Amino acid sequence: MKQFLLIFIGGGIGSFLRYVISKSLNTYYHNFYLGTFLVNIIGCLVIGILIGLSLKNNYLSENQTLLLATGFCGGFTTFSTFALESNLLLKEHSILYMSLYVGLSVVLGILAISAGLWISKML
């Protein structure tokens, strides 16, 4: 039961922060969903660091990993919103912006996880 509660709390905090960041940044960039883009890239970096630390000499406990990686990062990042916004850009015939959004999200997300794993080795 404790593990479910940790995931619930972490997910709630992550979702709240995602909403605040996305709400404030998405309104300024109409052809590019900057808020969603940034939370997904930041979330990839954070989960890379967390998993790297978790693998490194069991630096994080199982409960800490559930709270931070599964809960917080799971709530903070959002694939469904990314897919919806990509679809909206496609419907608006913004092929260039949709291509940039999708391409940069995938490539930078993978690079951010790699950077997070690298950072965790330095800590």
Side-chain angles (χ1 to χ4, degrees), residues 16-118:
F16 173 76
L17 287 176
R18 178 188 68 221
Y19 174 78
V20 170
I21 292 168
S22 294
K23 185 79 170 162
S24 62
L25 292 178
N26 283 351
T27 57
Y28 296 113
Y29 301 94
H30 298 288
N31 289 327
F32 195 85
Y33 295 95
L34 184 62
T36 305
F37 175 78
L38 287 177
V39 298
N40 285 335
I41 301 306
I42 292 166
C44 287
L45 177 65
V46 170
I47 203 167
I49 293 170
L50 292 171
I51 296 303
L53 288 175
S54 183
L55 295 173
K56 180 183 174 182
N57 302 324
N58 293 323
Y59 188 78
L60 296 176
S61 71
E62 181 183 351
N63 285 339
Q64 290 170 322
T65 303
L66 285 172
L67 173 72
L68 299 171
T70 305
F72 177 78
C73 288
F76 186 62
T77 60
T78 173
F79 185 76
S80 58
T81 301
F82 162 72
L84 173 64
E85 291 167 349
S86 299
N87 184 270
L88 292 172
L89 289 171
L90 185 61
K91 285 183 178 180
E92 294 170 2
H93 305 288
S94 297
I95 304 299
L96 175 64
Y97 288 110
M98 188 213 59
S99 299
L100 284 170
Y101 187 53
V102 171
L104 288 172
S105 293
V106 171
V107 171
L108 292 179
I110 292 169
L111 289 174
I113 287 177
S114 297
L117 291 169
W118 180 79

XYZ file of all heavy atoms in Angstrom, residues 16-118:
804
model
N 0.984 18.305 -11.512
C 0.760 19.709 -11.185
C 1.830 20.595 -11.836
O 1.510 21.611 -12.462
C 0.743 19.913 -9.670
C 0.687 21.358 -9.273
C -0.505 22.066 -9.366
C 1.826 22.022 -8.835
C -0.560 23.414 -9.015
C 1.780 23.362 -8.484
C 0.583 24.065 -8.578
N 3.091 20.211 -11.695
C 4.177 21.003 -12.300
C 4.079 21.028 -13.821
O 4.320 22.053 -14.455
C 5.539 20.468 -11.859
C 5.921 20.761 -10.420
C 7.241 20.090 -10.070
C 6.006 22.258 -10.171
N 3.727 19.885 -14.418
C 3.554 19.834 -15.873
C 2.457 20.808 -16.304
O 2.616 21.555 -17.263
C 3.196 18.423 -16.338
C 2.965 18.381 -17.866
C 2.414 17.053 -18.336
N 1.064 16.871 -17.841
C 0.580 15.740 -17.381
N 1.317 14.668 -17.325
N -0.654 15.665 -16.961
N 1.361 20.818 -15.595
C 0.250 21.714 -15.933
C 0.689 23.173 -15.859
O 0.426 23.954 -16.779
C -0.938 21.468 -14.999
C -2.046 22.455 -15.209
C -2.917 22.307 -16.294
C -2.207 23.547 -14.376
C -3.928 23.230 -16.519
C -3.218 24.466 -14.592
C -4.071 24.312 -15.658
O -5.069 25.224 -15.886
N 1.364 23.548 -14.781
C 1.797 24.936 -14.594
C 2.759 25.357 -15.705
O 2.605 26.424 -16.312
C 2.448 25.134 -13.206
C 3.124 26.474 -13.084
C 1.404 24.952 -12.116
N 3.744 24.520 -15.991
C 4.734 24.858 -17.023
C 4.090 24.890 -18.400
O 4.279 25.840 -19.165
C 5.917 23.864 -16.982
C 6.710 24.049 -15.683
C 6.827 24.044 -18.200
C 7.718 22.947 -15.411
N 3.315 23.863 -18.732
C 2.681 23.808 -20.048
C 1.689 24.944 -20.249
O 1.650 25.564 -21.307
C 1.966 22.467 -20.250
O 2.893 21.424 -20.295
N 0.908 25.220 -19.236
C -0.101 26.285 -19.330
C 0.557 27.637 -19.570
O 0.083 28.434 -20.378
C -0.929 26.316 -18.029
C -2.057 27.287 -18.051
C -3.214 26.716 -18.805
C -4.427 27.594 -18.601
N -5.443 27.364 -19.596
N 1.667 27.892 -18.891
C 2.307 29.200 -19.028
C 3.106 29.326 -20.323
O 3.151 30.409 -20.910
C 3.207 29.486 -17.820
O 4.234 28.538 -17.733
N 3.719 28.267 -20.791
C 4.558 28.376 -21.987
C 3.824 28.074 -23.291
O 4.174 28.636 -24.324
C 5.783 27.461 -21.861
C 6.787 27.859 -20.795
C 7.917 26.855 -20.730
C 7.336 29.254 -21.039
N 2.841 27.192 -23.269
C 2.145 26.850 -24.511
C 1.345 28.019 -25.070
O 1.109 28.090 -26.261
C 1.239 25.631 -24.320
C 2.011 24.334 -24.308
O 3.211 24.298 -24.597
N 1.339 23.261 -23.975
N 0.931 28.955 -24.220
C 0.141 30.081 -24.709
C 0.990 31.090 -25.482
O 0.469 31.856 -26.267
C -0.550 30.808 -23.534
O 0.431 31.226 -22.596
C -1.553 29.899 -22.853
N 2.307 31.085 -25.269
C 3.169 32.051 -25.931
C 3.687 31.569 -27.284
O 4.096 32.356 -28.109
C 4.369 32.407 -25.036
C 3.947 33.091 -23.765
C 4.111 32.480 -22.546
C 3.356 34.352 -23.797
C 3.716 33.095 -21.381
C 2.952 34.975 -22.637
C 3.136 34.344 -21.433
O 2.742 34.955 -20.281
N 3.690 30.294 -27.492
C 4.218 29.720 -28.725
C 3.124 28.890 -29.378
O 3.011 27.699 -29.136
C 5.454 28.858 -28.426
C 6.547 29.648 -27.773
C 6.683 29.686 -26.394
C 7.435 30.378 -28.549
C 7.686 30.434 -25.800
C 8.442 31.122 -27.958
C 8.564 31.141 -26.581
O 9.553 31.877 -26.001
N 2.342 29.511 -30.240
C 1.165 28.851 -30.797
C 1.509 27.759 -31.806
O 0.763 26.812 -31.948
C 0.233 29.886 -31.431
C -0.271 30.876 -30.444
N -1.198 30.557 -29.480
C 0.049 32.167 -30.229
C -1.442 31.611 -28.730
N -0.688 32.603 -29.158
N 2.601 27.908 -32.529
C 2.944 26.911 -33.527
C 3.911 25.852 -33.007
O 4.361 25.002 -33.756
C 3.553 27.582 -34.768
C 2.507 28.352 -35.544
O 1.347 27.966 -35.584
N 2.907 29.442 -36.139
N 4.249 25.920 -31.751
C 5.162 24.944 -31.163
C 4.799 24.835 -29.685
O 4.815 25.829 -28.970
C 6.619 25.399 -31.321
C 7.625 24.310 -31.075
C 7.970 23.445 -32.101
C 8.210 24.155 -29.838
C 8.903 22.441 -31.888
C 9.140 23.148 -29.610
C 9.483 22.297 -30.652
N 4.469 23.661 -29.237
C 4.037 23.454 -27.856
C 5.262 23.375 -26.949
O 5.676 22.302 -26.506
C 3.168 22.211 -27.763
C 1.872 22.368 -28.518
C 1.736 21.910 -29.826
C 0.793 23.016 -27.924
C 0.535 22.080 -30.517
C -0.397 23.188 -28.603
C -0.520 22.719 -29.901
O -1.696 22.894 -30.577
N 5.847 24.535 -26.668
C 7.103 24.623 -25.936
C 6.998 24.054 -24.523
O 7.912 23.378 -24.052
C 7.596 26.075 -25.882
C 8.951 26.296 -25.221
C 10.047 25.579 -25.987
C 9.252 27.779 -25.121
N 5.893 24.297 -23.848
C 5.740 23.805 -22.482
C 5.781 22.288 -22.413
O 6.523 21.706 -21.618
N 4.991 21.630 -23.252
C 4.978 20.165 -23.281
C 6.333 19.632 -23.712
O 6.849 18.665 -23.146
C 3.886 19.653 -24.234
O 2.631 20.226 -23.845
C 3.785 18.138 -24.202
N 6.918 20.275 -24.710
C 8.237 19.880 -25.196
C 9.264 19.926 -24.070
O 9.999 18.966 -23.829
C 8.646 20.802 -26.357
C 10.030 20.572 -26.869
C 10.303 19.497 -27.702
C 11.051 21.438 -26.541
C 11.581 19.287 -28.183
C 12.337 21.240 -27.015
C 12.599 20.155 -27.849
N 9.292 21.034 -23.326
C 10.275 21.189 -22.257
C 10.054 20.210 -21.109
O 11.020 19.639 -20.592
C 10.278 22.626 -21.728
C 10.893 23.665 -22.646
C 10.762 25.067 -22.050
C 12.355 23.348 -22.934
N 8.800 19.993 -20.698
C 8.590 19.053 -19.595
C 8.994 17.643 -20.010
O 9.537 16.894 -19.185
C 7.154 19.068 -19.010
C 6.813 20.411 -18.427
C 6.121 18.628 -19.998
N 8.766 17.282 -21.249
C 9.155 15.944 -21.691
C 10.670 15.791 -21.741
O 11.207 14.757 -21.343
C 8.517 15.600 -23.034
C 7.054 15.264 -22.894
O 6.592 14.841 -21.846
N 6.298 15.445 -23.958
N 11.392 16.810 -22.217
C 12.856 16.735 -22.280
C 13.444 16.776 -20.867
O 14.328 15.989 -20.523
C 13.440 17.862 -23.154
C 12.883 17.784 -24.591
C 14.967 17.822 -23.155
C 13.065 16.454 -25.280
N 12.942 17.681 -20.032
C 13.414 17.754 -18.643
C 13.119 16.435 -17.924
O 13.958 15.913 -17.187
C 12.782 18.948 -17.903
C 13.307 20.261 -18.484
C 13.035 18.869 -16.401
C 12.517 21.493 -18.057
N 11.934 15.896 -18.150
C 11.573 14.615 -17.536
C 12.499 13.489 -17.968
O 12.865 12.629 -17.161
N 12.902 13.495 -19.239
C 13.853 12.486 -19.726
C 15.199 12.638 -19.026
O 15.812 11.643 -18.628
C 14.035 12.607 -21.239
S 12.630 12.024 -22.192
N 15.653 13.870 -18.862
C 16.918 14.115 -18.166
C 16.824 13.641 -16.715
O 17.707 12.932 -16.215
C 17.287 15.598 -18.222
C 18.555 16.006 -17.482
C 19.778 15.363 -18.110
C 18.692 17.517 -17.457
N 15.746 14.009 -16.044
C 15.571 13.641 -14.637
C 15.484 12.127 -14.462
O 16.135 11.556 -13.582
C 14.325 14.343 -14.034
C 13.980 13.789 -12.664
C 14.548 15.848 -13.969
N 14.717 11.453 -15.318
C 14.592 9.995 -15.158
C 15.911 9.310 -15.485
O 16.266 8.299 -14.869
C 13.414 9.407 -15.963
C 12.993 8.074 -15.338
C 13.749 9.250 -17.428
C 11.658 7.549 -15.834
N 16.691 9.879 -16.413
C 18.019 9.327 -16.685
C 18.916 9.424 -15.466
O 19.621 8.469 -15.113
N 18.883 10.579 -14.798
C 19.683 10.762 -13.577
C 19.195 9.807 -12.479
O 19.993 9.136 -11.814
C 19.625 12.224 -13.090
C 20.345 13.147 -14.093
C 20.222 12.360 -11.695
C 20.139 14.631 -13.825
N 17.888 9.736 -12.291
C 17.334 8.892 -11.230
C 17.650 7.416 -11.442
O 18.069 6.721 -10.502
C 15.823 9.095 -11.124
C 15.359 10.458 -10.620
C 13.852 10.586 -10.769
C 15.793 10.664 -9.182
N 17.446 6.938 -12.654
C 17.714 5.526 -12.931
C 19.207 5.258 -12.841
O 19.635 4.228 -12.308
C 17.140 5.107 -14.301
C 15.608 5.230 -14.288
C 17.575 3.694 -14.680
C 14.902 4.429 -13.196
N 20.015 6.189 -13.340
C 21.459 6.037 -13.221
C 21.897 5.946 -11.769
O 22.719 5.106 -11.401
N 21.338 6.824 -10.914
C 21.667 6.786 -9.484
C 21.151 5.505 -8.829
O 21.803 4.939 -7.949
C 21.083 8.007 -8.770
C 21.755 9.343 -9.056
C 20.988 10.474 -8.380
C 23.209 9.334 -8.601
N 19.986 5.067 -9.273
C 19.410 3.847 -8.719
C 20.271 2.631 -9.057
O 20.448 1.741 -8.234
C 17.997 3.663 -9.259
O 17.390 2.538 -8.680
N 20.806 2.609 -10.260
C 21.653 1.494 -10.683
C 23.045 1.564 -10.073
O 23.709 0.550 -9.923
C 21.756 1.470 -12.212
C 20.464 1.179 -12.969
C 20.674 1.356 -14.470
C 19.967 -0.225 -12.655
N 23.474 2.767 -9.737
C 24.819 2.981 -9.210
C 24.843 2.677 -7.715
O 24.435 3.485 -6.903
C 25.239 4.435 -9.458
C 26.610 4.796 -8.969
C 26.834 6.281 -9.225
C 28.129 6.737 -8.621
N 28.317 8.170 -8.824
N 25.299 1.525 -7.370
C 25.449 1.140 -5.966
C 24.156 1.276 -5.164
O 24.203 1.615 -3.987
C 26.557 1.959 -5.299
C 27.885 1.792 -5.999
O 28.197 0.710 -6.474
N 28.643 2.857 -6.092
N 23.029 1.048 -5.805
C 21.730 1.170 -5.126
C 21.609 2.490 -4.376
O 21.173 2.541 -3.224
C 21.502 -0.010 -4.178
C 21.347 -1.299 -4.932
O 20.754 -1.328 -6.000
N 21.902 -2.372 -4.398
N 21.985 3.580 -5.027
C 21.984 4.909 -4.409
C 20.595 5.315 -3.931
O 20.444 5.933 -2.899
C 22.537 5.925 -5.413
C 22.777 7.298 -4.844
C 23.902 7.560 -4.071
C 21.877 8.325 -5.078
C 24.130 8.817 -3.548
C 22.100 9.587 -4.549
C 23.219 9.823 -3.788
O 23.439 11.068 -3.268
N 19.568 4.962 -4.709
C 18.186 5.250 -4.318
C 17.502 3.954 -3.903
O 17.694 2.914 -4.525
C 17.407 5.874 -5.487
C 17.879 7.230 -5.995
C 17.064 7.645 -7.212
C 17.785 8.282 -4.918
N 16.673 4.044 -2.893
C 15.910 2.866 -2.468
C 14.799 2.599 -3.480
O 14.473 3.448 -4.320
C 15.308 3.103 -1.083
O 14.259 4.059 -1.160
N 14.191 1.441 -3.364
C 13.072 1.104 -4.244
C 11.928 2.109 -4.060
O 11.312 2.547 -5.032
C 12.571 -0.311 -3.953
C 11.414 -0.732 -4.845
C 10.872 -2.116 -4.505
O 11.488 -2.833 -3.697
O 9.810 -2.451 -5.049
N 11.660 2.509 -2.821
C 10.593 3.478 -2.552
C 10.912 4.848 -3.141
O 10.030 5.520 -3.674
C 10.327 3.595 -1.054
C 9.569 2.399 -0.517
O 8.905 1.679 -1.257
N 9.670 2.176 0.779
N 12.166 5.279 -3.044
C 12.557 6.563 -3.637
C 12.426 6.517 -5.155
O 11.988 7.482 -5.776
C 13.992 6.917 -3.236
C 14.136 7.280 -1.791
C 15.592 7.386 -1.364
O 16.441 6.613 -1.786
N 15.880 8.365 -0.518
N 12.808 5.397 -5.756
C 12.680 5.243 -7.202
C 11.212 5.265 -7.616
O 10.849 5.898 -8.617
C 13.362 3.941 -7.671
O 14.731 3.973 -7.268
C 13.283 3.788 -9.172
N 10.349 4.608 -6.846
C 8.914 4.628 -7.153
C 8.344 6.041 -7.042
O 7.568 6.474 -7.893
C 8.147 3.684 -6.214
C 8.285 2.198 -6.499
C 7.632 1.384 -5.387
C 7.686 1.837 -7.845
N 8.715 6.759 -5.993
C 8.221 8.123 -5.798
C 8.690 9.046 -6.915
O 7.886 9.774 -7.506
C 8.699 8.664 -4.446
C 8.406 10.144 -4.170
C 6.916 10.361 -3.922
C 9.228 10.654 -2.994
N 9.982 9.003 -7.218
C 10.569 9.977 -8.133
C 10.487 9.574 -9.608
O 10.086 10.385 -10.445
C 12.028 10.233 -7.741
C 12.218 10.809 -6.340
C 13.691 10.816 -5.964
C 11.619 12.198 -6.243
N 10.880 8.350 -9.936
C 10.902 7.932 -11.348
C 9.506 7.544 -11.830
O 8.987 8.113 -12.790
C 11.886 6.788 -11.552
N 8.892 6.585 -11.155
C 7.575 6.116 -11.583
C 6.505 7.182 -11.343
O 5.730 7.509 -12.245
C 7.194 4.817 -10.843
O 8.227 3.851 -11.037
C 5.877 4.267 -11.353
N 6.478 7.734 -10.142
C 5.448 8.712 -9.795
C 5.686 10.072 -10.412
O 4.952 10.504 -11.295
N 6.733 10.772 -9.945
C 6.969 12.142 -10.396
C 7.195 12.227 -11.904
O 6.507 12.990 -12.590
C 8.150 12.771 -9.652
C 8.470 14.151 -10.145
C 7.700 15.227 -9.746
C 9.507 14.357 -11.039
C 7.965 16.512 -10.231
C 9.784 15.632 -11.521
C 9.013 16.705 -11.117
N 8.150 11.468 -12.425
C 8.444 11.558 -13.862
C 7.277 11.060 -14.706
O 6.997 11.599 -15.772
C 9.724 10.795 -14.209
S 11.219 11.605 -13.613
N 6.584 10.030 -14.209
C 5.406 9.528 -14.923
C 4.302 10.577 -15.003
O 3.619 10.711 -16.021
N 4.127 11.333 -13.935
C 3.123 12.399 -13.932
C 3.588 13.656 -14.645
O 2.800 14.378 -15.240
N 4.881 13.907 -14.585
C 5.446 15.133 -15.173
C 5.490 15.071 -16.694
O 5.128 16.026 -17.369
C 6.851 15.354 -14.602
C 7.487 16.657 -15.002
C 6.916 17.869 -14.636
C 8.662 16.682 -15.715
C 7.507 19.078 -14.987
C 9.268 17.876 -16.067
C 8.690 19.078 -15.706
N 5.920 13.951 -17.235
C 5.997 13.827 -18.692
C 4.673 13.323 -19.233
O 3.867 12.754 -18.514
C 7.127 12.869 -19.105
O 6.868 11.586 -18.553
C 8.475 13.375 -18.637
N 4.460 13.530 -20.533
C 3.166 13.159 -21.091
C 3.261 12.813 -22.570
O 3.464 13.681 -23.404
C 2.134 14.278 -20.871
O 0.952 13.933 -21.580
C 2.615 15.637 -21.324
N 3.148 11.548 -22.863
C 3.164 11.126 -24.257
C 1.824 11.405 -24.928
O 1.775 11.774 -26.094
C 3.505 9.636 -24.363
C 3.659 9.187 -25.781
C 4.799 9.497 -26.502
C 2.656 8.474 -26.414
C 4.938 9.108 -27.818
C 2.787 8.074 -27.729
C 3.936 8.390 -28.437
N 0.731 11.246 -24.204
C -0.587 11.450 -24.809
C -0.785 12.899 -25.246
O -1.326 13.160 -26.315
C -1.697 11.019 -23.853
O -1.609 11.729 -22.638
N -0.343 13.846 -24.429
C -0.460 15.257 -24.816
C 0.447 15.553 -26.001
O 0.063 16.273 -26.926
C -0.111 16.179 -23.629
O -1.001 15.877 -22.554
C -0.246 17.644 -23.999
N 1.641 14.994 -25.997
C 2.566 15.137 -27.123
C 1.918 14.632 -28.414
O 1.957 15.299 -29.452
C 3.854 14.360 -26.811
C 4.710 14.055 -28.000
C 5.435 15.056 -28.638
C 4.811 12.761 -28.477
C 6.229 14.765 -29.730
C 5.602 12.462 -29.560
C 6.317 13.460 -30.192
N 1.282 13.468 -28.361
C 0.626 12.908 -29.546
C -0.553 13.770 -29.989
O -0.742 14.018 -31.187
C 0.167 11.479 -29.262
N -1.342 14.260 -29.037
C -2.475 15.130 -29.359
C -2.007 16.418 -30.015
O -2.547 16.841 -31.046
C -3.283 15.451 -28.098
C -4.404 16.481 -28.274
C -5.471 15.966 -29.222
C -4.986 16.866 -26.934
N -1.001 17.052 -29.437
C -0.509 18.312 -30.000
C 0.106 18.104 -31.384
O -0.048 18.949 -32.265
C 0.488 18.948 -29.034
C -0.188 19.432 -27.772
C 0.767 19.794 -26.660
O 1.971 19.496 -26.750
O 0.290 20.402 -25.676
N 0.756 16.977 -31.573
C 1.294 16.661 -32.904
C 0.162 16.535 -33.913
O 0.243 17.035 -35.036
C 2.098 15.356 -32.862
O 3.186 15.471 -31.988
N -0.914 15.881 -33.487
C -2.083 15.733 -34.354
C -2.724 17.082 -34.659
O -3.139 17.340 -35.789
C -3.098 14.784 -33.711
C -4.276 14.523 -34.601
O -5.271 15.251 -34.547
N -4.161 13.500 -35.424
N -2.799 17.966 -33.664
C -3.369 19.300 -33.892
C -2.531 20.095 -34.886
O -3.079 20.790 -35.749
C -3.478 20.065 -32.569
C -4.491 19.524 -31.560
C -4.356 20.252 -30.224
C -5.898 19.635 -32.107
N -1.227 20.000 -34.781
C -0.349 20.680 -35.743
C -0.557 20.123 -37.141
O -0.577 20.872 -38.128
C 1.118 20.551 -35.325
C 1.528 21.351 -34.105
C 2.934 20.968 -33.655
C 1.453 22.850 -34.389
N -0.732 18.828 -37.249
C -0.990 18.204 -38.542
C -2.317 18.694 -39.121
O -2.398 19.045 -40.307
C -0.995 16.686 -38.383
C -1.131 15.856 -39.649
C 0.039 16.129 -40.583
C -1.196 14.379 -39.299
N -3.355 18.774 -38.295
C -4.665 19.251 -38.752
C -4.623 20.720 -39.176
O -5.400 21.141 -40.017
C -5.722 19.060 -37.667
C -6.159 17.633 -37.519
C -7.261 17.510 -36.484
C -7.727 16.077 -36.392
N -8.789 15.916 -35.417
N -3.713 21.490 -38.555
C -3.553 22.904 -38.911
C -2.644 23.080 -40.131
O -2.319 24.201 -40.503
C -2.968 23.680 -37.725
C -3.874 23.758 -36.540
C -3.172 24.325 -35.305
O -1.982 24.691 -35.387
O -3.834 24.400 -34.258
N -2.250 21.963 -40.733
C -1.354 21.960 -41.895
C -0.001 22.597 -41.572
O 0.627 23.183 -42.435
C -2.010 22.635 -43.103
C -3.325 22.024 -43.460
N -3.433 20.781 -44.038
C -4.591 22.465 -43.283
C -4.709 20.490 -44.221
N -5.443 21.491 -43.767
N 0.407 22.477 -40.336
C 1.713 22.979 -39.910
C 2.710 21.818 -39.942
O 3.240 21.397 -38.910
C 1.632 23.571 -38.506
O 0.766 24.671 -38.474
N 2.934 21.300 -41.127
C 3.781 20.121 -41.308
C 5.202 20.386 -40.800
O 5.797 19.534 -40.127
C 3.819 19.684 -42.788
C 2.405 19.422 -43.319
C 4.713 18.468 -42.977
C 1.660 18.334 -42.603
N 5.735 21.561 -41.081
C 7.088 21.882 -40.638
C 7.176 21.884 -39.115
O 8.069 21.251 -38.537
C 7.531 23.244 -41.188
C 8.890 23.740 -40.687
C 10.002 22.807 -41.146
C 9.139 25.158 -41.178
N 6.235 22.566 -38.454
C 6.262 22.624 -36.991
C 5.997 21.254 -36.374
O 6.594 20.894 -35.366
C 5.263 23.652 -36.462
C 5.698 25.065 -36.718
C 5.037 25.868 -37.634
C 6.798 25.592 -36.051
C 5.454 27.160 -37.869
C 7.217 26.887 -36.286
C 6.547 27.672 -37.197
O 6.967 28.947 -37.426
N 5.106 20.483 -36.967
C 4.845 19.142 -36.457
C 6.099 18.276 -36.596
O 6.466 17.562 -35.668
C 3.686 18.472 -37.184
C 3.286 17.158 -36.525
S 2.668 15.863 -37.617
C 3.996 15.599 -38.739
N 6.766 18.363 -37.721
C 7.983 17.581 -37.937
C 9.074 17.974 -36.951
O 9.763 17.102 -36.398
C 8.485 17.766 -39.364
O 7.521 17.317 -40.285
N 9.231 19.277 -36.729
C 10.216 19.744 -35.752
C 9.856 19.268 -34.348
O 10.721 18.806 -33.595
C 10.310 21.270 -35.770
C 11.064 21.887 -36.939
C 10.873 23.395 -36.965
C 12.541 21.537 -36.850
N 8.596 19.390 -34.002
C 8.122 19.009 -32.673
C 8.367 17.524 -32.410
O 8.924 17.143 -31.385
C 6.637 19.358 -32.568
C 6.018 19.177 -31.207
C 6.560 19.758 -30.069
C 4.854 18.427 -31.060
C 5.975 19.607 -28.825
C 4.252 18.272 -29.823
C 4.818 18.865 -28.704
O 4.228 18.715 -27.479
N 7.969 16.696 -33.341
C 8.129 15.249 -33.183
C 9.607 14.860 -33.222
O 10.097 14.136 -32.348
C 7.327 14.486 -34.265
C 7.665 13.008 -34.255
C 5.822 14.701 -34.062
N 10.308 15.348 -34.230
C 11.719 14.989 -34.385
C 12.576 15.429 -33.213
O 13.346 14.641 -32.652
N 12.430 16.697 -32.821
C 13.219 17.205 -31.697
C 12.847 16.527 -30.383
O 13.719 16.248 -29.560
C 13.054 18.723 -31.568
C 13.748 19.561 -32.640
C 13.346 21.027 -32.514
C 15.262 19.404 -32.555
N 11.564 16.255 -30.190
C 11.128 15.594 -28.959
C 11.767 14.214 -28.814
O 12.273 13.864 -27.744
C 9.603 15.455 -28.924
O 8.987 16.712 -28.830
N 11.762 13.447 -29.887
C 12.314 12.090 -29.829
C 13.832 12.125 -29.687
O 14.406 11.496 -28.786
C 11.888 11.271 -31.066
C 12.620 9.943 -31.127
C 10.376 11.056 -31.067
N 14.500 12.886 -30.541
C 15.961 12.916 -30.524
C 16.490 13.529 -29.226
O 17.366 12.953 -28.568
C 16.510 13.671 -31.759
C 17.996 13.909 -31.648
C 16.190 12.896 -33.036
N 15.956 14.685 -28.843
C 16.432 15.320 -27.623
C 16.034 14.537 -26.371
O 16.755 14.543 -25.376
C 15.940 16.768 -27.534
C 16.551 17.717 -28.571
C 15.966 19.117 -28.414
C 18.064 17.746 -28.473
N 14.894 13.852 -26.412
C 14.497 13.007 -25.287
C 15.492 11.880 -25.058
O 15.914 11.619 -23.929
N 15.896 11.222 -26.132
C 16.885 10.145 -26.019
C 18.229 10.707 -25.561
O 18.890 10.125 -24.690
C 17.014 9.390 -27.361
C 15.715 8.626 -27.645
C 18.220 8.450 -27.353
C 15.605 8.065 -29.044
N 18.627 11.842 -26.119
C 19.882 12.467 -25.695
C 19.829 12.912 -24.235
O 20.821 12.803 -23.509
C 20.222 13.653 -26.596
C 20.653 13.306 -28.023
C 20.813 14.573 -28.853
C 21.934 12.487 -28.022
N 18.670 13.395 -23.787
C 18.528 13.831 -22.398
C 18.634 12.651 -21.437
O 19.252 12.766 -20.367
C 17.196 14.565 -22.194
N 18.052 11.512 -21.787
C 18.202 10.324 -20.945
C 19.665 9.911 -20.893
O 20.197 9.609 -19.821
C 17.309 9.167 -21.435
C 15.844 9.491 -21.099
C 17.733 7.833 -20.817
C 14.846 8.481 -21.576
N 20.330 9.926 -22.039
C 21.762 9.596 -22.068
C 22.567 10.566 -21.211
O 23.457 10.156 -20.463
C 22.285 9.616 -23.504
O 21.641 8.634 -24.275
N 22.245 11.852 -21.302
C 22.930 12.863 -20.489
C 22.661 12.625 -19.005
O 23.563 12.747 -18.173
C 22.483 14.273 -20.891
N 21.434 12.279 -18.659
C 21.094 11.996 -17.266
C 21.866 10.800 -16.719
O 22.365 10.828 -15.593
N 21.981 9.754 -17.520
C 22.756 8.586 -17.099
C 24.228 8.962 -16.918
O 24.877 8.531 -15.970
C 22.615 7.456 -18.116
C 21.228 6.806 -18.185
C 21.109 5.898 -19.402
C 20.929 6.037 -16.906
N 24.736 9.790 -17.814
C 26.135 10.258 -17.717
C 26.331 11.108 -16.465
O 27.293 10.924 -15.734
C 26.512 11.027 -18.980
C 27.913 11.545 -18.962
C 29.049 10.844 -19.220
C 28.326 12.876 -18.627
N 30.135 11.655 -19.097
C 29.726 12.906 -18.711
C 27.638 14.022 -18.261
C 30.454 14.056 -18.455
C 28.372 15.169 -18.001
C 29.769 15.182 -18.099
